[in-house]
Amino acid sequence: MPEPQDARKDLEAELDFDPEALRAKYRAERERRIRPDGSRQYQQLAGEFGAYDEDPHADREFTREPLHDRVEAVIVGGGFGGLLAGARLRQAGVREIRVVEKGGDFGGTWYWNRYPGIHCDIESYIYLPLLEELGYVPRWKYAPGEEIREHARAVARHFGLYDHACFQTQVTELRWDDAESEWIVATDRGDRMRARYVIVSSGTLSEAKLPGIPGIETFRGHTFHTSRWDYDYTGGDANGGLTGLADKRVALIGTGATAIQVVPHLGADAKRVYVFQRTPSSVDVRGNRPTDPQWAKSLEPGWQRRRRENFLKVVTGVRADEDLVDDAWTSTARLQEKLIPTNAYADVPAEERELAYEIADFQKMNELRARVEATVEEAETAERLKPWYRYMCKRPTFSDSYLQTFNRPGVTLVDTADTHGVQRITENAVVVGDREYEVDCIIFATGFEVGVSGVLSGRLPVYGRGGADLLRTWMSGGPRTLHGFYSRGFPNLFHLGPLQNASAVNYVHILDEQATHVAEVIAQARKWQTRCVEPTAESQDAWVATIRRKAADLYRFQAECTPGYYNNEGRPRERSESYGDGPVAFHELLRRWRSEGGLREVLAEDEA
Ligand code: NDP
């Protein structure tokens, strides 16, 4: 029997690349990008940058009288989480549902983000929720943003969620009224509405951010963030045709998943484009195609649930007999363990498993680097577009036109890795090293604050029984919930989103499971006529202990990654707060909990 070290050497010797050289290259590329200010390098769209946050789609003159009424349920957020909560509550028989939403309509991410080229890169047949309920089959394998936004609106119409909705309204405080056993919901429009149940689904990538580049406020040309695309200035629409840019020199800052979709349109329509890149994205094949009408006709009842569950199993390493979606997400399933832990391969010895992962990762990234080389004509530009890090260090992207855009004469890639990003902005230029790039317009594709719900970010203060401050309660020792949904001391308050639960790349599926669970709990509370849904101290403690016990150790992987929002800009958190056995097991656990008497843990009428 060979020693493990020998087995490792034998395996590595068979490869057609040198893993040690790649490891060294990855380390060096990471070192180039580490900044001492980590996530503090960014700034919010507030104060002097508040104009960046203005809603280009809503009526700015809109006013209404404050509401002082009572509904059964308030849902904070009108994205897919809020819509699914509304739909599932409606199915459970709740009639008075009010969605409160900052934007001027439903859609969440898809309301705000309307930049040219916008598509969802998760397959539409599993991403768009409630397709069978609405009798709809998306037109493309990967849907454009407009179709998704329209579907969100159709869901709202179908389930009557426009009836009591409040748009252009932000919830500013939730306060529990002990005497009445209900929440008082305060908003920035002076509302003080009362609700028995409150469901917070305020999103995870919903607060756009700007880089803290010196001089950003001095720029005299036009500027905006991709999540507030200004078509009045650029002309055109999400399909392109940006005629307003025909005589403009445009700077695009950032090369993440958003920029990958925007750049081909800027390249096609603007006079001059400078793409300022700090870290290249991995860009895999897209292969979008229209829906085959025969296939759509052949779908049998239950098809969407089956397809969604099949995808979830495949991408999280749970045995499945077939791969229905069959795309770049499913073919890289094993690599995704480093983002969404599942313990799926726990029976393989750790060292063997890590080496196998790493080699598969090198092979995938070699393939993507070779794609850059084969596509981009200019050798130096091709070299700069090659990603040198492990696959799941950054959000993978997909495009069949992004890399090709750098072959256009008016498009220049400006590499900013050695200067830790764009160094300065002046009245009329973007500065990197000793060069000033004069431009008419700067577009920030610089992303969003990550993973923070309104509650955790402190934007939405919550006061529970006896006036207890939820964020403060959680700040000492971390959040304490049962299944991520509710916390002791804060009755009838439900959280949707990533919080002591399990996640997956098809996040709308995760939200649907969460919404379904919450709606069933509320339905039971109504049936039993229990005023308060609130976990017992024992059940909450047990869940927090389970989360901690099962937490996967992703620290080493993330610490070796190039900086980005996945690893808190190079400073990964020591502890994962997600359920280590993964989403398939988590959903099964919730189903069992509901059917095997778990409800008693939250419906005990206990005057704490
Ligand atoms: P990201 O956070 O992914 O990208 C921000 C970009 O800005 C990065 O390339 C970053 O570089 C760059 N950047 C930041 N500061 C500077 C600076 N000072 N100088 C130069 N460059 C800078 O934001 P996105 O909007 O692209 O994507 C956010 C998320 O939204 C995605 O990860 C994905 O989850 C989601 N999304 C999903 C899509 C879908 O189809 N489902 C489509 C689009 C987005 P660096 O990498 O070096 O930090």
Side-chain angles (χ1 to χ4, degrees), residues 35 41-42 110 115 119-122 205 209 211 213 253-259 261 276 278-279 394-395 416 420-422 445-448 563-565 569:
R35 289 176 52 132
Q41 69 185 277
Y42 292 105
W110 305 101
Y115 56 78
H119 279 70
C120 181
D121 56 23
I122 302 292
L205 289 170
K209 64 184 194 289
I213 301 171
I253 299 182
T255 50
T258 298
Q261 299 183 333
F276 292 87
R278 187 165 60 186
T279 315
K394 289 237 168 230
R395 172 67 147 73
T416 71
H420 296 122
V422 168
T446 47
F448 304 84
Y565 80 76
E569 303 300 333

Side-chain angles (χ1 to χ4, degrees), residues 374-432:
T375 313
V376 179
E377 288 157 10
E378 219 251 319
E380 200 179 322
T381 305
E383 210 42 48
R384 290 184 168 153
L385 284 164
K386 288 183 189 168
W388 298 102
Y389 47 79
R390 286 183 62 173
Y391 189 64
M392 269 300 157
C393 287
K394 289 237 168 230
R395 172 67 147 73
T397 76
F398 311 89
S399 173
D400 299 332
S401 54
Y402 174 74
L403 295 170
Q404 291 79 348
T405 304
F406 293 96
N407 296 332
R408 284 178 174 270
V411 179
T412 303
L413 180 76
V414 183
D415 189 65
T416 71
D418 286 325
T419 54
H420 296 122
V422 168
Q423 278 172 300
R424 203 153 43 85
I425 290 177
T426 67
E427 283 186 8
N428 61 352
V430 177
V431 183
V432 178

Side-chain angles (χ1 to χ4, degrees), residues 316-318 337-338 340-348 353 357 546-547 549-554 578-583 585:
T316 59
V318 177
E337 254 267 298
K338 290 297 176 197
I340 295 166
T342 60
N343 287 331
Y345 310 101
D347 50 339
V348 183
R353 190 172 68 225
Y357 277 154
T546 301
I547 287 282
R549 195 178 68 250
K550 287 186 179 282
D553 183 7
L554 297 183
S578 71
Y579 180 65
D581 286 348

Side-chain angles (χ1 to χ4, degrees), residues 127-204:
Y127 180 84
L128 273 68
L130 301 160
L131 288 177
E132 291 193 68
E133 286 83 344
L134 269 74
Y136 185 65
V137 179
R139 293 194 287 269
W140 290 84
K141 185 167 171 76
Y142 301 97
E146 183 60 18
E147 184 179 11
I148 304 174
R149 194 165 64 83
E150 275 310 319
H151 183 69
R153 288 157 51 88
V155 168
R157 281 193 300 272
H158 186 87
F159 291 96
L161 299 175
Y162 277 102
D163 291 352
H164 300 282
C166 292
F167 295 116
Q168 295 179 256
T169 304
Q170 269 185 286
V171 176
T172 51
E173 184 190 279
L174 299 173
R175 192 173 284 276
W176 177 251
D177 179 342
D178 273 314
E180 299 291 328
S181 291
E182 60 189 13
W183 286 95
I184 304 169
V185 181
T187 77
D188 62 352
R189 290 196 180 267
D191 305 306
R192 278 176 71 78
M193 26 179 125
R194 289 175 164 269
R196 164 108 335 163
Y197 305 108
V198 172
I199 299 170
V200 178
S201 180
S202 52
T204 53

